[in-house]
Structure formats: C-alpha cells, structure tokens
Amino acid sequence: MIRYHLSALALKGLSCCEPARKLYRGLGNRLGGKKRTVGTMPNYYLDRVERNMSLCRKYGALQADDLLLELGTGWVHWEAITLRLFFDFQAVLYDVWDNRQLSALKSYIRQLQARFGQPGFLEGCDFDRARSVARKIEGAESFEDLYRILGFRYVLDPSGLMETLPRSAFRMVISAGVMEHIPAETAPQFVSNMGSLLVPGGLGIHSIAIMDHLAFYDRSASPKQYLAFSDAQWKFWCENGVQYINRIQRSNWLRMYADAGLTVLEEISARVEVNDLKIHPQYRDLSREDIECTNLVVVARRA
C-alpha cells in the first residue's frame, strides 16, 4: 500500500493550485498523446465499440436527423466517432477542458479498422461504409476540419453541468469513464440535466467506473480500496483535484436516474471479490452487489 499512499500524496500536491493543475494536464496531454499515437490501443476501446453498437441495434439505430451528445468527449471522441462510422447523425462533443489529440484519434481508428472482418467482431456491420468514413477522418487536417466533415460541434464548458445545451434535443446522450469524476455534490443535478436533454424516448448510455483509481498505481490495493476510508479520511488523505473520483456507488446512481425520471432498461456490471478488504462502518449498509461493483453500464430511456 506504499505506492497507493505515495500516489495519493503526489496527486494532492499537483492539485494544490491552478498552475500545478495546468502543468499536470499539459504534460499528461503531451506525453499521453504521443503514447496513444505510437502505441497499441487498449482492448477496452474495442469493447466499447462492440457494446455501443450492440445497444444501438437493440434499442434503435441512429438516423440522419438525430442529434447525439457525447459527455466528457476526451482525447479522441471515441463513442461518437465510432458510432458515426456506421450511422448518419449529428453530434455535440462536450467537455470541461480541452485535451483533444487528433494524431491519437487517427491511430486508434486505423487500429480499429484492422479488426474489421475478423470473426465475431461487429458481425453484420457495414465495413465498407465505415472504411469510407475512416478515410475522411484520416484526411482531416484539424479538429475543425473533422467536425465540418462529420457534422459535429465541440463545446467546452468548465461548469460541466450542460446548462447551455438545448433541452429535449438529443436522441442519445453517451459517456464512458466520465460520471465517476463528477463532483459528488452536483451529481444529482448532473443526472437530472442529462435526462432533460433527451427527447422523449431518447436513450442514455453511460459506463461508470465505480472503482478506486488510486489502485491503478498499486497492485496490492483492492479495486474498491476507497471503501476503507470515511468521507473525512478520504478527503484528508486521498482526494485530489486532478484525478478526482466521487465514490458514488451503484445503488446511488440508480436512485439518481429514477429521481430524474429516467427508466433503466438495462444494467451491465463488472464485479470483484473484496473479502479481504476492511470496509469502513460508513458503508455498512451497502449491499454486497454495491460493494463488489467496479464498473456499471446504465442504459436508460426518458419517458
């Protein structure tokens, strides 16, 4: 657990002031962009493509006049871009700070194309169409050029609450690895606002990593290590402003969806055993399913 606590201390130090946060983000973006451009794309990016395509087919394919919103669109706009390979639609790409990486996006799209036609991967999809769109992406000289080609729009909003976006306008709102980073105190408002952006019958698809991100730095730590700390202990020792996680658990997210008037159609979860973890009494009322849940995909529809 030494690496766990040293990582927490380092991240708290990088959160101490705005110049430190900017330095962290700038270096991370530059070094991460280079790594993504020349390195191998993680397999979970492929998993996300397969999951999103499967869910779109199951609950209704996107149409040319539909509007999609990707929240926390990040380095490569992965959810919107990869769906756009197979469906015509317009999109708004929404984020709280700019860490876009065009060369990384092109590298990941090339690696995705290498999987086209392999047995069991996206069977039944129109790969000829996808390759045609991919060629347009490859030819884009800037993100502005890319958005013009695809019919996308990029929105930067440090508040993260989507209050400038049109209500009842989006056929789909989608995110991956975003909602666990929303400030805990504004999470109910975030879910409510997200629901209000959907058209009646619109679909929300959100993958939430309900795990302790500090555990990535220390293999001896449990993926749910943060459940060993009270709120006060966590805030004092571990919470930071550059890799913030809100520690909101599965049942709490589902309750927020219900409060926002969203009907959960499907819940896909990954779980891990935590038998050796000493859980703080603050979490004694959590169900075993909540305690063991490390990733939650929620598919919900607005009435």
Side-chain angles (χ1 to χ4, degrees):
M1 291 294 292
I2 294 176
R3 290 183 180 178
Y4 180 94
H5 291 291
L6 287 176
S7 299
L9 182 62
L11 291 169
K12 285 185 80 69
L14 290 167
S15 307
C16 67
C17 61
E18 187 57 29
R21 289 190 289 271
K22 286 183 177 179
L23 176 64
Y24 167 83
R25 290 168 178 166
L27 286 174
N29 210 32
R30 199 154 44 242
L31 297 175
K34 183 177 181 180
K35 180 180 178 181
R36 293 179 190 94
T37 299
V38 301
T40 301
M41 176 175 63
N43 283 332
Y44 61 78
Y45 276 80
L46 298 172
D47 295 340
R48 283 156 56 182
V49 177
E50 291 189 287
R51 181 186 68 224
N52 293 337
M53 286 296 297
S54 175
L55 292 172
C56 280
R57 286 169 158 179
K58 184 175 183 178
Y59 294 107
L62 291 158
Q63 305 296 325
D65 58 348
D66 286 338
L67 188 58
L68 175 145
L69 171 65
E70 182 178 348
L71 299 175
T73 190
W75 305 299
V76 295
H77 310 326
W78 191 244
E79 318 307 304
I81 289 283
T82 52
L83 284 173
R84 185 65 175 77
L85 294 176
F86 300 98
F87 301 111
D88 284 322
F89 57 85
Q90 299 177 55
V92 173
L93 310 169
Y94 181 92
D95 223 332
V96 297
W97 65 286
D98 187 354
N99 60 351
R100 296 172 292 173
Q101 300 167 2
L102 186 60
S103 59
L105 166 60
K106 292 181 179 183
S107 174
Y108 279 19
I109 290 295
R110 288 193 292 269
Q111 293 179 63
L112 173 62
Q113 287 186 86
R115 294 292 303 272
F116 289 174
Q118 292 187 6
F121 184 73
L122 297 178
E123 289 185 346
C125 289
D126 187 346
F127 293 129
D128 288 337
R129 175 212 151 85
R131 290 188 183 97
S132 176
V133 177
R135 284 194 293 271
K136 295 178 182 178
I137 295 171
E138 185 67 36
E141 297 181 356
S142 66
F143 272 110
E144 288 67 29
D145 192 25
L146 178 70
Y147 303 152
R148 178 187 56 78
I149 292 169
L150 299 181
F152 286 6
R153 180 166 67 94
Y154 182 66
V155 174
L156 201 61
D157 174 17
S159 79
L161 291 175
M162 304 162 284
E163 292 180 337
T164 61
L165 298 177
R167 267 40 192 173
S168 301
F170 296 92
R171 176 62 57 185
M172 180 181 293
V173 180
I174 192 167
S175 71
V178 172
M179 292 176 67
E180 67 268 23
H181 301 299
I182 299 163
E185 60 272 16
T186 61
Q189 183 182 0
F190 179 95
V191 176
S192 178
N193 287 351
M194 181 270 291
S196 72
L197 299 175
L198 289 166
V199 299
L203 198 68
I205 302 175
H206 301 280
S207 176
I208 311 169
I210 310 179
M211 63 179 69
D212 188 341
H213 289 35
L214 290 174
F216 295 142
Y217 299 101
D218 189 338
R219 293 184 179 181
S220 70
S222 166
K224 298 299 289 277
Q225 189 67 44
Y226 60 31
L227 294 181
F229 301 93
S230 68
D231 283 342
Q233 291 169 337
W234 176 257
K235 187 169 185 176
F236 184 81
W237 292 108
C238 301
E239 188 173 279
N240 67 82
V242 292
Q243 291 189 15
Y244 171 84
I245 49 175
N246 53 37
R247 301 204 304 166
I248 297 172
Q249 300 302 299
R250 168 190 162 275
S251 60
N252 302 114
W253 284 119
L254 296 178
R255 189 176 305 113
M256 284 184 234
Y257 273 78
D259 291 343
L262 296 166
T263 300
V264 174
L265 304 175
E266 192 167 339
E267 173 192 345
I268 308 166
S269 60
R271 298 172 64 174
V272 64
E273 291 187 3
V274 293
N275 295 332
D276 296 330
L277 178 64
K278 185 177 180 181
I279 296 172
H280 192 274
Q282 174 181 323
Y283 294 104
R284 62 176 173 268
D285 293 330
L286 286 179
S287 68
R288 177 56 53 176
E289 190 171 7
D290 276 0
I291 291 171
E292 294 180 347
C293 183
T294 55
N295 195 81
L296 177 68
V297 179
V298 180
V299 183
R301 192 184 298 281
R302 180 182 177 184

